[in-house]
Amino acid sequence: MNKLYRNIPKEVIKIKKYYAHYNPKDGMYYVDKSYPYKKKKSTREKGNLVEFDYANGSNPISPLVPGPGGLPLPQNVATVRLNEVKAGNVVYLNGLFHINNDNTTGPQDLVVSIHKGSTPTEGNLIYRKVIEIDVAQNIHDDITEVSVQYVDDNFRSNQTDVRYILTAAQRVGTGLFLLNPITFTAMEIKGPF
């Protein structure tokens, strides 16, 4: 028996692990890198963040207490400013705040706007939406989270000192109040898109 094992080397031979991949298109099995992978090539670059600004309410972590209270409307909710926005870039705006309806006669209409400029006027209005806020009486959703998102892509030339103002107003009557937490952000993203 010793003669049979005489030619076997005494060192250990390591065998690599190979993984087989089945390609259903051609019905073939491939080992590791011989598998015909196709990498997806992007035809355009993804947007890169260029500049960022944010504004929080006076006390952003204060609890929302049910019942009367808050700042009466209309209000400039928050303002953000970018130093310089280059032509071809876009600005992504994102706002979040809360509204309390203390009016017991019925639902109330909230008008939310974004203005581009140093003061909110109809001439520099770039975004507006109307939201119905439920009444407080016998309904538990009279404190409403308001979310606003908008992309300003109107930059044909470089602009400096670009300001955005988020505003909230009641369409008619009284009874709506602004509550914390409040956040408003502006992000310049590199184009072209």
Side-chain angles (χ1 to χ4, degrees), residues 28-157:
M28 301 289 288
Y29 284 90
Y30 294 89
V31 177
D32 283 338
K33 293 184 181 178
S34 65
Y35 185 73
Y37 288 108
K38 289 186 179 178
K39 292 185 179 179
K40 293 181 181 177
K41 292 184 179 179
S42 177
T43 57
R44 67 177 193 178
E45 292 183 22
K46 292 183 178 178
N48 294 321
L49 180 65
V50 177
E51 190 175 358
F52 175 80
D53 190 25
Y54 72 96
N56 284 332
S58 57
N59 189 5
I61 58 172
S62 65
L64 296 176
V65 181
L71 298 171
L73 300 183
Q75 284 289 329
N76 287 352
V77 177
T79 302
V80 290
R81 176 182 173 266
L82 298 174
N83 293 320
E84 182 179 351
V85 180
K86 303 252 187 235
N89 290 356
V90 299
V91 174
Y92 171 68
L93 300 164
N94 188 15
L96 178 70
F97 59 94
H98 294 79
I99 292 292
N100 182 16
N101 183 3
D102 285 343
N103 190 321
T104 57
T105 61
Q108 301 296 309
D109 288 338
L110 171 72
V111 180
V112 180
S113 304
I114 299 176
H115 300 267
K116 183 178 177 180
S118 56
T119 57
T121 64
E122 285 297 314
N124 63 14
L125 176 70
I126 61 171
Y127 175 87
R128 176 173 283 159
K129 76 175 180 177
V130 178
I131 304 166
E132 185 179 272
I133 309 297
D134 284 335
V135 66
Q137 188 175 356
N138 300 322
I139 297 177
H140 298 292
D141 58 352
D142 65 313
I143 297 179
T144 302
E145 179 180 274
V146 178
S147 175
V148 178
Q149 293 183 359
Y150 182 74
V151 175
D152 184 5
D153 61 352
N154 194 19
F155 293 96
R156 308 295 177 251
S157 61

